[in-house]
Amino acid sequence: MKRIVVLTSGGDSPGMNAALRAIAKLGAGQGLRVFGSIDGYDGLIDGNFRELTKVLSDGVVTVDIEVDAAGGQGGTIIGSARSMRFRETQGRVVAAEQLAKLGAEGLIVIGGNGSLTGAHALANEAGIKVMGIPGSIDNDIGCTATSLGVDTALNTIVEACDRISDTARAHRRAFVVEVMGRDCGYLAMASAIAMAADAVLIRESGKSEDQLVDDIRQVILSGFARGKRRILIIKAEGVTAPCTRLVRMTEERMKQELPTLEIRATVLGHVVRGGSPSYADRAVAGRLGFGALNSLLKGATDEMVGWLPPVPGGTPTADSSVVRFSLERVLEETRALIDGSSPVTKRRVALMTQASGVLAL
Ligand code: F6P
């Protein structure tokens, strides 16, 4: 193998650049030229590539200086997109032609569910070896304990909630804070525990809007009765009712009980997706990048490298924390994580239900 392509696709996540840097460095170390596809799968279709390595005059392959410096930056220096064209067979045919034209024999895809679905399709339709790396702040990818960006996103949420807690305590207020996670409430659950939030609202619990309002009312009543000055409720984006609506409904329901009650709503949104990657995300990115590249060189295809998977099995790599799984299995487990049938989701929800009494103390 002389040339490979790497792309970042779907929602960007902190750690993507660290993975690109690791792949470029490790590739260069083996005399491999590494190209980035600009804006995810769209770059493959358009033949829009940027070399992440550099060939010196004596023929030695090294890393592009900008790529080397980007490891600590958030976002992705090669851009990301959710390509509609790649969903069509014709788009994938053109992408495979462009890869062949470049002389690339391997492809590494860094992204979430949709991106890995595309990787699986290409691996099966085109004569190119494809490896995936999980990259999504939502932690909604099967066969991996974490994906790039999760740790940084949680650190950002915790920092934001600390700030919100300061002002909440100053005014004796309740806050409903929404965090990202369209299909998966992991960020809300994990940050609620770290923040000792009073309650967490997740789609996975299957509660109606009315029940959610009731939960908010309960923790506000009991919290303020115990002398608390801050009531913090963390809501996952997947709960479709907007924060402001839940706040209005709760205030309306409680206007006789607590006429002076003030509840505020904060949506953290994309603030949580940006920012420079934490140590953990950089380290995981480097090690998954190494695992993905080595797997490609050993001839693996249609697989993803996962980080300390919560399920037994898989093919071990040189790094004991990095394990390869077929993309078919990854996508199956991702579906189960999202639709709630996965034991991992069930365990998370059961844990949060158990914790809810303690959180409200
Ligand atoms: O990266 C996943 C995610 O963070 C989801 O939680 C969220 O719904 C989505 O991205 C929003 O992404 P965009 O604004 O790019 O469509």
Side-chain angles (χ1 to χ4, degrees):
M1 214 175 261
K2 295 267 185 300
R3 291 177 173 214
I4 66 155
V5 169
V6 56
L7 63 84
T8 49
S9 161
D12 60 285
S13 60
M16 282 182 163
N17 285 327
L20 294 176
R21 176 178 63 181
I23 293 164
K25 263 187 191 286
L26 294 160
Q30 315 228 18
L32 202 70
R33 291 179 69 183
V34 179
F35 294 81
S37 167
I38 303 301
D39 297 336
Y41 288 111
D42 282 341
L44 285 193
I45 297 170
D46 298 332
N48 192 5
F49 301 111
R50 166 193 169 177
E51 182 159 5
L52 307 181
T53 45
K54 191 173 146 191
V55 185
L56 302 175
S57 54
D58 57 3
V60 169
V61 184
T62 185
V63 182
D64 176 273
I65 290 295
E66 207 194 320
V67 176
D68 200 10
Q73 288 169 24
T76 161
I77 53 165
I78 54 173
S80 190
R82 294 189 173 92
S83 174
M84 296 318 256
R85 288 184 289 158
F86 195 77
R87 290 185 191 188
E88 308 295 329
T89 314
Q90 185 50 26
R92 296 196 293 275
V93 168
V94 176
E97 284 167 4
Q98 295 284 16
L99 284 164
K101 203 164 132 196
L102 183 73
E105 293 163 90
L107 172 71
I108 297 178
V109 172
I110 309 171
N113 188 15
S115 315
L116 297 172
T117 303
H120 181 50
L122 196 66
N124 285 285
E125 292 166 7
I128 181 157
K129 301 203 178 327
V130 186
M131 283 299 298
I133 293 180
S136 161
I137 62 165
D138 294 349
N139 213 11
D140 58 351
I141 303 170
C143 300
T144 186
T146 191
S147 58
L148 303 187
V150 174
D151 185 69
T152 309
L154 283 171
N155 282 312
T156 306
I157 294 170
V158 163
E159 190 193 334
C161 286
D162 274 344
R163 287 165 191 254
I164 286 170
S165 298
D166 288 345
T167 175
R169 288 196 176 97
H171 290 270
R172 196 182 279 117
R173 278 177 178 158
F175 272 81
V176 179
V177 177
E178 182 183 292
V179 300
M180 270 194 173
R182 186 178 36 210
D183 299 320
C184 173
Y186 179 83
L187 288 180
M189 295 188 251
S191 59
I193 290 174
M195 281 308 299
D198 296 83
V200 59
L201 314 179
I202 48 170
R203 178 188 59 89
E204 290 90 327
S205 69
K207 291 189 178 175
S208 67
E209 210 170 270
D210 220 47
Q211 287 170 312
L212 294 176
V213 170
D214 211 52
D215 283 356
I216 301 174
R217 175 181 165 271
Q218 286 298 341
V219 293
I220 289 177
L221 276 181
S222 66
F224 283 140
R226 286 186 191 128
K228 279 189 176 183
R229 294 186 63 94
R230 173 215 78 168
I231 306 294
L232 177 66
I233 295 128
I234 302 190
K235 168 193 174 296
E237 180 193 355
V239 171
T240 47
C243 271
T244 42
R245 178 174 163 81
L246 292 174
V247 164
R248 262 200 320 275
M249 287 172 72
T250 312
E251 278 176 340
E252 184 58 31
R253 193 168 297 182
M254 298 183 73
K255 70 174 180 231
Q256 310 297 339
E257 290 168 305
L258 283 180
T260 57
L261 172 68
E262 290 185 306
I263 318 176
R264 296 285 188 266
T266 305
V267 177
L268 296 182
H270 292 76
V271 166
V272 169
R273 215 160 77 180
S276 99
S278 63
Y279 156 75
D281 275 325
R282 293 183 205 199
V284 171
R287 290 167 72 179
L288 289 182
F290 180 73
L293 184 67
N294 269 346
S295 306
L296 265 190
L297 293 174
K298 281 190 184 138
T301 186
D302 200 15
E303 292 188 328
M304 182 194 85
V305 279
W307 182 257
L308 276 180
V311 281
T315 314
T317 66
D319 185 333
S320 61
S321 292
V322 178
V323 181
R324 284 162 35 198
F325 284 95
S326 74
L327 277 172
E328 193 176 354
R329 177 158 175 207
V330 170
L331 296 172
E332 207 174 285
E333 292 207 10
T334 301
R335 265 191 299 277
L337 269 181
I338 292 170
D339 72 20
S341 60
S342 155
V344 177
T345 310
K346 287 186 181 147
R347 207 168 48 234
R348 284 177 185 167
V349 175
L351 205 78
M352 287 319 295
T353 312
Q354 255 178 355
S356 64
V358 178
L359 285 174
L361 285 178

